[in-house]
Amino acid sequence: MWDIVAAVVGALLFLGLGYLYYSGLFRPIVIDIKKPYEGVLPIAYKYMVGNYKDCGPAFGEFASATSQQTTLIGVYYDNPDEVDKNSCRFIVGAVLTGEAEQYRDRLMSRGYSFTTIPALGKAIVSDFPMVNYLSILIGVHRVYSTMFKYMKKQQLKNQGCMIELYGDKNMRVIAPLEENNEYFVKEFR
């Protein structure tokens, strides 16, 4: 009897660890300084104020508005360690390229605004696999923690915001190193 219980517990433990491995828990975090994307990013977005952990449904809302696979974007303006967590300012939306552009009228009717995120020449960048919801949670926690330690060690200063791009089973976290007020949408100013 105890052999069966031990076998089941062992199998569950093995499956759990396998799922955590698949979700990226044991993946090394690589930090690089580079140009994070080419050119400007035309985006549709919603400006929001609140706790960053509550932004997930806004990403889902965009996906349901377009039924289109596109690169999602989040731009986070406040450090939740310095500002009340429920007063953090951010935008959530998507990069409008190719077929996503055809949804402009529908997005406008649902309260989205439009702007461009400027080209970046130099930023701290880290990529993390996005294979399931758990991998997003693991990635956000591990990447930000590692990135902030790196910035402190290298005496680098983030210039005003953090940017996240979600697409093609990958999450890219970007900390701009060049000051540029164009990161700040009109609602922020």
Side-chain angles (χ1 to χ4, degrees):
M1 173 72 169
W2 290 109
D3 292 344
I4 294 172
V5 171
V8 169
V9 169
L12 290 174
L13 185 61
F14 180 76
L15 288 173
L17 287 173
Y19 187 71
L20 290 173
Y21 177 81
Y22 174 72
S23 299
L25 182 62
F26 307 110
R27 182 183 193 94
I29 303 298
V30 177
I31 305 291
D32 199 4
I33 296 179
K34 64 182 180 180
K35 188 173 185 171
Y37 53 83
E38 293 297 322
V40 299
L41 299 178
I43 64 168
Y45 71 92
K46 280 193 175 179
Y47 177 79
M48 305 175 84
V49 176
N51 195 317
Y52 289 156
K53 72 176 185 172
D54 297 329
C55 70
F59 283 115
E61 179 186 337
F62 184 89
S64 70
T66 63
S67 66
Q68 176 73 28
Q69 290 288 345
T70 187
T71 299
L72 299 176
I73 186 169
V75 180
Y76 306 93
Y77 297 112
D78 295 305
N79 181 340
D81 293 332
E82 298 172 1
V83 174
D84 176 57
K85 288 180 179 11
N86 294 315
S87 299
C88 291
R89 299 163 294 179
F90 58 102
I91 63 171
V92 172
V95 178
L96 293 178
T97 57
E99 293 180 23
E101 185 67 35
Q102 71 182 326
Y103 295 101
R104 184 178 281 270
D105 291 338
R106 183 184 304 170
L107 292 168
M108 195 174 299
S109 71
R110 292 187 181 195
Y112 284 87
S113 298
F114 302 87
T115 192
T116 56
I117 299 293
L120 289 171
K122 188 175 173 184
I124 302 168
V125 178
S126 185
D127 293 314
F128 195 83
M130 186 177 65
V131 295
N132 55 37
Y133 183 71
L134 181 59
S135 67
I136 296 170
L137 297 177
I138 291 170
V140 166
H141 175 73
R142 292 191 61 225
V143 168
Y144 276 92
S145 175
T146 305
M147 192 175 274
F148 289 138
K149 286 177 188 172
Y150 177 85
M151 285 190 281
K152 186 175 182 177
K153 182 179 179 183
Q154 300 296 321
Q155 298 180 346
L156 298 170
K157 180 151 176 35
N158 172 0
Q159 294 298 321
C161 67
M162 296 294 288
I163 302 169
E164 295 175 4
L165 294 172
Y166 295 91
D168 197 27
K169 297 190 178 194
N170 184 61
M171 173 182 73
R172 173 166 279 189
V173 178
I174 303 164
L177 293 174
E178 300 170 337
E179 194 167 338
N180 190 333
N181 288 334
E182 292 179 51
Y183 304 127
F184 300 97
V185 294
K186 64 182 184 246
E187 295 88 345
F188 182 87
R189 295 181 193 145

